[in-house]
Amino acid sequence: MPMVFGTGKFEFRHPRAAEYPLPADAAPATTAAPDKVPASTGGASITLLDIQRDRLTRVAAEHWGTPAAASAFDADLVREIYATELRVEGRGRKTVPLHRVMILEVSQYLENYLWPHFDLADTSFEHVMSIILMVNEKFRENVAAWTCFHDRKDAFKGFLWQVLKLKEEERTLNMAEKTNYLLFMINAFQSLEDELVRETVLQLVSLKLWNTLSFGRLQMELCLNPELIKKWTKIKRREAKEAKKADQPTNPSEMLENKFLRNLIEEFLEILDSKVILSSQDGAEESVLNESLIGQVDDSCVLYCERFMEFLIDMLSQLPTRRFLRPLVADVAVVAKCHLSALYTHEKGRLFAQLVDLLQFYEGFEINDHSGTQLGDDDVLQAHYSRFQAFQLLAFKQVPKLRDFALSSIGSLHKRADLTKKLLVLSDMELQDLVCNKLKLISEKDPCSGRRDFLIEVLVAFFEKRQSQKDAVNALPLYPNEQIMWDESLVPSINYSGEGCLALPKLNLQFLTLHDYLLRNFNLFRLESTYEIREDIQEAVPHLHSYINNEGETAFRGWSRMAVPIKEFKITEVKQPNIGEVKPSAVTADVTFSISSYRHQIKSEWDALKEHDVLFLLSIRPSFEPLSPEEAAKSTVPERLGLQYVRGCEVIEIRDEEGTLMNDFTGRIKREEWKPPKGDIRTVRIALDTAQYHIDVTETVEKGAENVYGTFNILMRRKPKENNFKAILESIRDLMNETCVVPEWLHNIFLGYGNPSAAQWINMPDLLEVIDFKDTFLDANHIQQSFPDYQVTFINSDGTENLHPSPPFKISLSKKMRESSRALPGNVNSSLAVKNNNNMADGECQKEKLIVETYVPADPGPYPQDKPKQNSIGAIISGVQPGLTMVVGPPGTGKTDTAVQILNVLYHNCPSQRTLIITHSNQALNDLFEKIMQRDVPARYLLRLGQGEQELATDLDFSRQGRVNAMLVRRLELLGEVSKLARSLRLPEDVGYTCETAAYFWLLHVYARWEQFLAACAQNQDNPSFVKDRFPFSEFFSDTPQPIFTGESFEKDMHAAKGCFKHLSTIFQELEECRAFELLKSTVERANYLMTKQAKIVAMTCTHAALKRRDFLQLGFKFDNLLMEESAQILEIETFIPMLLQRQEDGYARLKRCILIGDHHQLPPVVKNMAFQKYSHMDQSLFTRFVRLGVPYIELNAQGRARPSIAKLYNWRYRELGDLPYVREQAIFHKANAGFSFEYQLVDVPDYKGKGESAPSPWFYQNEGEAEYIVNVYIYMRLIGYPANKISILTTYNGQKLLIRDVINKKCKPYNIEPPNKVTTVDKFQGQQNDFILLSLVRTRFVGHLRDVRRLIVAMSRTRLGLYVFCRRSLFEQCYELQPTFQLLLQRPDRLALNLEECTPFTERPLGETGNIHYVTGIEDIGNLVKFRLEHLRQMQYMQYYAPPANELPPAVPDNIAAVIPPENGSVLNQPNEHMAVEENGGANDTTVGNKMEEDAVEAKDETMQEGNKMCDGNGDGDLAAKDKDDKHADENDKMEEGDAMSKDKIEEGNSEPKDKMDEE
């Protein structure tokens, strides 16, 4: 039975971590290549050769490159390295010399030298700061930072305290050091899942922190939270007791853990006030030459201030750190002081100002800090009125000048301007007395307490009415505008390296409330969509070639496929606002454009626009004179494009030149009346964003701004797959406007609080005590193997022991089973210890009994169609019980089969409950659905929603319309059966006219006869032929394949009779289900009924769920269980939305079970912008977050995909991943790969033509040597006879993928060699497999994103029989994170080992025998080998084609023999090998050869930008119909023609840039 992992505590595993148990005898790397610097660093980037020659590399090799060298420690060396290599001086934004830090980090400076020799008693400032810098660098690279500290836990706690004490030392830190120190604290507080870190840092934010509050603020907080008074009193008593015991007075406010954060805040405020703007005092410290700097901004201080804002935002956005820190932030008035600072309004302080606003938002967040409950709008409003009323009462009694203020209505005062005006009557002293003494908002000792503007800001900020968070979201436009699109602090460029901070929310481990969770996801999803839209605009607009014509108006010389000039734009209607709102309820406009210049294919794309498609209105106004190169380099993107405004809109309808409605889906136009559109003029009626319209009109009226809506001249569309963002944002906003109810059992875990095991099934009420496992178990031995810790006892239904049990089985869950299913510690050793303890206990007492009931299932009926259709047991038990079930499925372990069996068992144990299935992609959903169809679940209860349904490999239609039609057809069939039954009973046949008449017939005639028969049988059980003679429906069942009754045994005949009656009852039950379809007349009503009432298992993608949530709620869609496949590849918010596709019932959520199946050790959801991925952790899935929180999970522990030897390349990443008997016993896994000496091998590829990796454009990495090598090996395999569909070529970069395709076209086409099954990237191939994988790792300078171990696991686990990795050995063998895999690979020679004696794909050579090895010396060698064999093939084909008569010499071979060789039809290269086509047991079938190189080449450009799009189901509600191959080629030609001046290479490079940065898929 698989282990359940997760301790009920936080796991220390970071979602982007790459930790693993390093063997004790593993020799550390001596040198390493940096994989850190992105190509964007240009000339500043360093090469492998640079690093190998570098002084630091020599120092590393000498002092910590070997265990012997690392044992000797030189503290002076650490000081020297820090002083000369790591310390940064100056006023720039550079805090570390990045290249030097990278060299030290990859040389394992931290793991092998700094940490092993850290001694708390004798450590230097430089030693501590060096560790801080190394940890920060690991966080920047998203690799495990704390792993190496776990072997010395006590020393680590001492190290953290030493870090805290750095601020108390006499040594003064420069600004770069302060920033690095602060960044370390940010990283520490972001690692609360690590117990080591958590224990120390949470002491800094405990209740003791209030010792540093001013007296007035402390009294205020204790009065507001009376439940804390007792705790506070207890703390003070303990402190007094400790002081008395120490016999010396102690000041709690001077204790390090209490004063640390306040000192840090005060230091920040001092820097903000006096250091940011350089003064004459600062200038005096410099030379006379720097006097010109006075009054300018110190960039290093600005960066520090930005980082400090990030620190405070992080602290206030997590409840454990927020609870006691927020009063301190308010006491010091951080936000008010930031608002009044010079940096807040300075042009260089734009990012700082945005961060301050975000801090202000979180300081006033609508939550009770101590209970964690969310405050509703009414609660917030009531608290505001109470606070203001108390202020008025105080003013009336104690401030005579504010009598008028005290008697005014609150509504006339609570706006900022009104409140400020009323306070002007007070003098400075009176104002100070009011704020500091009477209201006690700040302390009199505060340095700013004498500033009038500061006092007013504090007072106004405390009492003004804040805008409701809900109102703020509703007032936000869903479409991005030009200001947001090109704001680098909100939507950074793709080359974000992780060195700076951004004004973005983060997806952390924990969230304050559900509203906070939704708001962060809303903002991030909106900005990610903005980034994609921005890229599309930057691609489409240059093709238009805008210019100013003689009339001074904008005109266009070029054309673009996705953008068309507007002929006319006019707003047609602006509706009145809804009650309580200021924005219009609707704004519509008409846009007219011409498609006459397009050819037919592109015209059809524009004509395919339909309701709810999103378009963009652009205003282009180029400069009169073209920009010079110098001006273009300095200008922004909008300036270069001439782009003035961008506004989004939604299509309402589209009409042709004659005004005829096109693409109507509402039924207004009947299908037979539809006509093709006329003319080339199209008019689109659009709905504008009302919030944006209100903002624009207000700007025009109040500030005299330009009327945006009179300037539009371009209409732009986007690809339907990528244009679903608005519907998803609307779904998130709808959730924020509702009372969002997550099931109570899941609520705390979802937010990241409470006991992580609380939602496990053992802690849930209403458990199923007995589970019917149906066909899960093969036999009795299978049960005993699945429950080795139990004494399995088989019984019959009557309680007697069964000595010869056979399935099906029912299992009664024992008390011990609940206890043993609890989470185990998160490592292998603990589970082994438990096993050992169990073994010891076995000797003392017997194993607990597990009662298994065998039963004879009821006879389903006498016809073949009545017969039922014919894994991890722990996952199934947990999945069918209430609560949260998490299943981690390593590669090849049968995640889909486990999901299907859970659904099957769940359906049969809870037949009345409805289950919703969610996956990330259509392909995964179809795989799952096809397997469900093969189980014993009636087809009428299955429903597949979304556009991917047509790809199902079945003749049945499982769409809504298809199921409705099937039900209507089935109704007629069943009514025919009823009529047949009536005839057999000699009754009128009109009882089969409708479902209603059939129901009466059942009650009056069928069921009545059955009851009479049962009564008679009860009195004649001793008559063996009684059933045969008296069965009332014998005539109806006269056509069964086999005789029903034998007349020899009453019991057997009675069992058969009950089966016959079950057949009849099933007929009438189905008719009752068909009755609604008989009563409902419209197709829409029938389809909605089917979805909301009839279907028991409904399947859709996560994107479809988000797009259609409003419709589901409107229809009253209900479900009890939620199962998510691929849940580790789904964005957090796309996992959350499907949980809330139904309305709550009486304030409670109906959801009973949530089953998440995935693998957090493989690649996460795709996020295109690196900033959102690295800074905001947007690629964190809910599944991964739950694992980090320590939620118990079940790990499938046997793979059935790959050879056991190949599985070792990745099974180290999993706890106990073994092999199924199938891969150990099947003959194919014991035979060697023909032509190869090894089943897997790393092949070292040297420089080819003097170079390794290259980048024709940024992040578009290619390696010509690896491409040539890999294609030659592929041709070699094809010449032996390997089928093309069994070979896939993978690489880690899009640039290499396209290069390999080019090389294949060049080398294979002349010989008619079929291309491989797939040439794609590792990311794109996740979830797929093939027999043989050729893998190119591309990089020769930096390891790149393969350092993310999740990508390595995917790459290693795609193959079944053979894996050949082509890379630069000297680079990858020294990467710390990849060592477990590469140590195995490098146990074999790094030159490709071939067995040239084997010339066919059939070999009897057993695995492990190499045969006669021929080592390939290099690219030229393999090229010559392939060339020789190709020439031999040519001659053979020539001789077969031109076989001369006997005694006649063959003619000379023509030069162009490829032209005369017959095509490959029937060629040996195209013959499939049946012996190679063995499919994985229980796994997905190999992908078929459907997308060949021609199609792949056409898709190449789009893939560089869009592969791995997280909206895989985006086509769900707006995808264009698939085009044929000619159209695809034509589309590609159009792309090349656009703009008349842009070359194909430029287009490819420009579009490939962002995706290849992250892999781009």
Side-chain angles (χ1 to χ4, degrees), residues 471 474-475 576-586 690-691 694 737:
D471 293 341
N474 291 334
Q576 291 292 322
N578 294 325
I579 295 174
E581 295 183 351
V582 294
K583 65 182 182 182
S585 58
T690 55
H694 176 71
N737 284 307

Side-chain angles (χ1 to χ4, degrees), residues 61-76:
E62 181 181 349
H63 291 275
W64 60 86
T66 62
S71 61
F73 178 68
D74 184 357
D76 292 334

Side-chain angles (χ1 to χ4, degrees), residues 114 142 290 307 628-629 764 776 791 879 881 967 992 1026 1078 1094 1524:
L114 291 177
N142 282 338
N290 287 339
R307 282 292 188 188
S628 66
M764 296 292 292
T776 302
Q791 180 184 342
Q881 296 286 11
M967 290 297 290
F1026 183 82
E1078 187 175 79
Q1094 169 81 10
D1524 60 25

Side-chain angles (χ1 to χ4, degrees), residues 46-62:
I46 50 179
T47 66
L48 178 62
L49 188 60
D50 294 334
I51 289 201
Q52 290 172 341
R53 293 174 177 172
D54 193 277
R55 183 185 76 89
L56 281 180
T57 305
R58 296 196 300 272
V59 170
E62 181 181 349

Side-chain angles (χ1 to χ4, degrees), residues 802-817:
N802 188 331
L803 300 178
H804 304 287
S806 61
F809 300 109
K810 290 181 181 179
I811 297 181
S812 301
L813 301 185
S814 66
K815 182 179 178 181
K816 180 183 174 183
M817 185 174 292

Side-chain angles (χ1 to χ4, degrees), residues 535-546 556-565 597-599 602 605-606 714-717 719 1501-1502 1528-1548 1551:
E535 296 298 306
D536 288 345
I537 291 175
Q538 290 179 188
E539 180 185 350
V541 171
H543 295 299
L544 294 168
H545 293 302
S546 59
F556 304 96
R557 293 192 183 94
W559 65 277
S560 174
R561 182 181 199 135
M562 309 304 286
V564 63
S597 61
Y598 293 128
R599 60 183 182 78
I602 303 178
E605 292 177 6
W606 282 98
I714 291 294
L715 181 69
M716 192 189 87
R717 63 186 173 92
K719 295 174 183 175
K1501 178 181 178 297
D1502 290 339
K1528 287 186 177 179
H1529 281 296
D1531 295 351
E1532 190 179 57
N1533 292 336
D1534 280 336
K1535 278 291 181 188
M1536 293 175 61
E1537 293 169 8
E1538 285 181 57
D1540 302 326
M1542 191 168 287
S1543 69
K1544 176 182 177 183
D1545 291 339
K1546 275 287 183 185
I1547 294 173
E1548 276 192 345
N1551 291 333

